[in-house]
């Protein structure tokens, strides 16, 4: 990995702002349904709380592409105008911004890149691939494709890119992880309205012999695992119009059984990491840094403890979710981008992501 870059939207929403908007929506909803609530035919909505959000998740704020729509109790979703087809799409634009940053850090020109992968959980459209639009915007030859493995998309792309480079299929691969999670989040859902944020990350993978950026990290080994689960799900898709009765229903946005995800994913991820370390004869004491998926602070503290057999020291398992929220595929790469430049030659680090799938 020879360069990383990020794109951070200009607008940020604090927990306090989000909760004020949510609670105003609750007040209006309960007032509008007062009779049915009194009759017991409609459930009364409960207030959200900034204290709960910080305690349950560690999230303090999140960046978004449009703050006004999200905080308007009559709208409660981002308002992002459609663009004509001859303009770059907004997701590709975010990817390109992060990619330029990554290419500059890698000291690579677009002509040095043979493959572009856009790997993210929230692709903007069915086709054409966002990656091909990014390739076009950057003037890159070769080929490009999208892939989606939920929040783990960036690490799966890292695995694919390192294989392509190792087998000589590409000189350099540019990976982009743009996420407008706010577009898929139900801001009227108390259980999840605080979880996600928008951002993009990008990184370059190339042969070690050609690495020339100011910082390079050798990929020692990659390891993937998937296990089917319905505990994180979004049923939005092209077949929705074939069942119009379901259009607009709750399952067409992000849904999760958060507590179950927490309980199932922490052991699965910890065991995978420990097995991977053993396979590579890397002692847990050799790990200088853990760039973990940025979904939940408590989850990351538990995983770090199971891997290190002690609490992580400050900065050892860096957290960006406090400022960014869960930015899905971008999260662990943003943590890596911000907290990797100080590592010394010979240091080991571990990059890890997990999410819907699982
Ligand atoms: N304010 C106040 N109280 C609340 C709120 C709120 N906002 N929300 C829930 N509560 C209440 C509940 O009603 C419950 O009350 P009671 O005990 O009376 O029933 C109580 O608080 C506890 O609720 P939970 O058990 O749900 O709380 P948890 O401690 O489990 O915390 C979390 C909830 C934060 C969601 C936590 O479970 C979590 O983070 N789990 C892991 C989630 C995770 O890692 N998910 C991965 C998702 S990433 C991914 O792959 C998605 C990819 C697609 C991206 C799509 C973008 C939109």
């Amino acid at each position: 990995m020879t360069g990383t870059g990020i794109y951070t939207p200009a607008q940020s929403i604090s927990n306090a702002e989000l909760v004020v908007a949510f609670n105003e929506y609750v007040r209006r909803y309960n007032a509008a349904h007062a009779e049915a609530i009194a009759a017991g035919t409609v459930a009364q909505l409960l207030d959200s709380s900034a204290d709960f959000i910080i305690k349950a998740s560690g999230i303090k704020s999140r960046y978004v592409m449009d703050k006004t729509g999200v905080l308007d109790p009559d709208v409660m979703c981002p308002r992002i105008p459609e663009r004509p087809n001859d303009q770059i799409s907004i997701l590709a634009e975010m990817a390109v911004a992060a990619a330029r940053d990554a290419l500059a850090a890698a000291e690579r020109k677009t002509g040095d890149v043979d493959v572009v992968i856009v790997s993210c959980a929230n692709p903007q459209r069915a086709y054409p691939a966002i990656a091909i639009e990014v390739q076009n915007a950057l003037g890159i030859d070769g080929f490009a494709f999208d892939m989606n493995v939920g929040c783990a998309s960036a690490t799966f792309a890292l695995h694919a890119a390192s294989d392509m480079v190792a087998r000589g299929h590409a000189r350099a691969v540019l990976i982009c992880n743009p996420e407008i999670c706010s577009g898929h989040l139900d801001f009227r859902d108390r259980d999840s309205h605080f979880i996600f944020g928008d951002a993009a990350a990008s990184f370059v993978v190339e042969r070690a012999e050609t690495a020339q950026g100011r910082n390079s990290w050798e990929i020692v080994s990659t390891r993937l695992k998937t296990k089917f689960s319905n505990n994180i799900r979004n049923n939005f898709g092209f077949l929705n119009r074939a069942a119009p009765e379901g259009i607009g229903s709750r399952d067409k946005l992000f849904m999760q059984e958060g507590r179950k995800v927490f309980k199932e994913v922490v052991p699965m991820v910890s065991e995978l990491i420990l097995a991977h370390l053993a396979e590579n004869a890397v002692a847990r004491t050799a790990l200088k840094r853990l760039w973990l998926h940025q979904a939940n602070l408590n989850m990351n503290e538990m995983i770090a403890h199971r891997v290190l057999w002690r609490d992580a020291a400050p900065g050892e398992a860096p957290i960006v979710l406090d400022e960014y929220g869960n930015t899905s595929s971008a999260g662990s790469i943003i943590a890596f981008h911000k907290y990797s430049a100080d590592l010394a030659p010979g240091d080991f680090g571990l990059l890890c992501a997990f999410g819907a799938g699982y």
Side-chain angles (χ1 to χ4, degrees):
M1 286 176 77
T2 56
T4 60
I6 62 173
Y7 165 79
T8 302
Q11 305 173 49
S12 168
I13 299 178
S14 69
N15 286 346
E17 290 174 294
L18 195 68
V19 166
V20 165
F22 181 89
N23 291 351
E24 176 57 21
Y25 161 74
V26 167
R27 193 190 64 73
R28 292 183 194 183
Y29 178 94
N30 287 342
H33 297 84
E35 272 181 32
I37 290 170
T41 52
V42 167
Q44 183 176 24
L45 296 186
L46 301 174
D47 280 349
S48 183
S49 119
D51 285 347
F52 170 84
I53 295 171
I54 190 82
K55 193 161 152 280
S57 70
I59 296 166
K60 297 176 184 160
S61 60
R62 70 286 295 143
Y63 294 98
V64 288
M65 297 304 283
D66 173 55
K67 175 171 178 167
T68 314
V70 169
L71 293 183
D72 181 341
D74 289 328
V75 180
M76 297 195 88
C77 84
R79 285 284 186 244
I80 301 171
E82 281 191 351
R83 295 179 176 187
N85 289 350
D86 59 1
Q87 252 180 45
I88 189 165
S89 58
I90 191 159
L91 204 68
E93 191 172 78
M94 292 167 73
V96 165
R100 289 197 195 283
D101 203 10
L103 287 167
E107 294 181 22
R108 280 282 157 228
K109 295 194 171 53
T110 51
D112 302 327
V113 176
D114 293 325
V115 180
V116 178
I117 305 176
V118 167
S119 57
C120 63
N122 302 288
Q124 183 176 346
R125 60 171 179 249
Y127 40 79
I130 302 288
I132 304 176
E133 195 179 0
V134 171
Q135 175 196 10
N136 181 57
L138 289 171
I140 291 173
D141 210 1
F143 66 93
F145 61 91
D146 290 352
M147 55 186 278
N148 178 356
V149 201
C151 290
S153 294
T155 42
F156 275 68
L158 170 63
H159 174 91
S162 70
D163 274 3
M164 281 193 268
V165 167
R167 288 174 63 84
H169 294 317
R171 291 167 300 158
V173 181
L174 175 70
I175 294 122
C176 304
N177 323 108
E179 298 283 12
I180 307 183
C181 298
S182 59
H184 280 261
L185 183 56
D186 184 355
F187 286 97
R188 296 187 176 93
D189 176 38
R190 180 174 176 254
D191 289 342
S192 63
H193 75 112
F194 55 88
I195 292 180
F196 289 98
D198 305 336
S202 179
F203 56 101
V204 178
V205 173
E206 62 181 297
R207 294 189 70 82
E209 303 87 84
T210 63
Q212 58 187 23
R214 51 185 179 269
N215 287 304
S216 299
W217 301 269
E218 182 186 356
I219 300 165
V220 177
S221 170
T222 57
R223 201 173 208 264
L224 309 178
K225 186 176 177 68
T226 52
K227 184 177 190 292
F228 186 69
S229 168
N230 275 320
N231 288 331
I232 307 170
R233 190 150 180 142
N234 183 338
N235 288 329
F236 182 79
F238 66 89
L239 280 181
N240 294 161
R241 74 185 185 112
E245 65 281 6
I247 290 175
S249 59
R250 179 62 190 89
D251 67 324
K252 307 305 182 301
L253 294 171
F254 169 86
M255 293 195 311
Q256 75 167 353
E257 295 283 345
R259 183 54 57 106
K260 284 190 189 161
V261 174
F262 196 120
K263 284 194 174 152
E264 291 173 9
V265 165
V266 167
M268 190 175 159
V269 167
S270 313
E271 283 158 26
L272 179 71
I273 293 172
L274 291 173
H276 194 191
L277 290 176
E279 223 174 62
N280 286 278
V282 175
R284 62 181 85 218
T285 49
L287 283 182
K288 286 285 184 300
R289 199 140 307 159
L290 283 78
W291 302 280
L292 299 177
H293 178 46
Q294 301 288 314
N296 182 297
L297 175 62
N298 305 323
M299 241 174 154
N300 285 16
E301 286 178 350
M302 281 176 99
I303 292 168
H305 191 95
R306 287 181 185 210
V307 171
L308 302 170
W309 280 1
R310 58 172 171 76
D311 288 344
E316 215 171 5
I319 292 297
V320 300
L321 65 87
D322 54 345
E323 179 186 347
Y324 280 81
N326 179 348
T327 52
S328 194
S329 67
S332 58
I333 305 297
I334 296 174
F336 183 85
H337 174 82
K338 288 183 176 267
Y339 298 100
S340 55
D342 60 316
L343 294 192
D347 285 348
F348 283 94
L350 181 125
L351 180 71
C352 167
F354 40 85
Y358 301 126

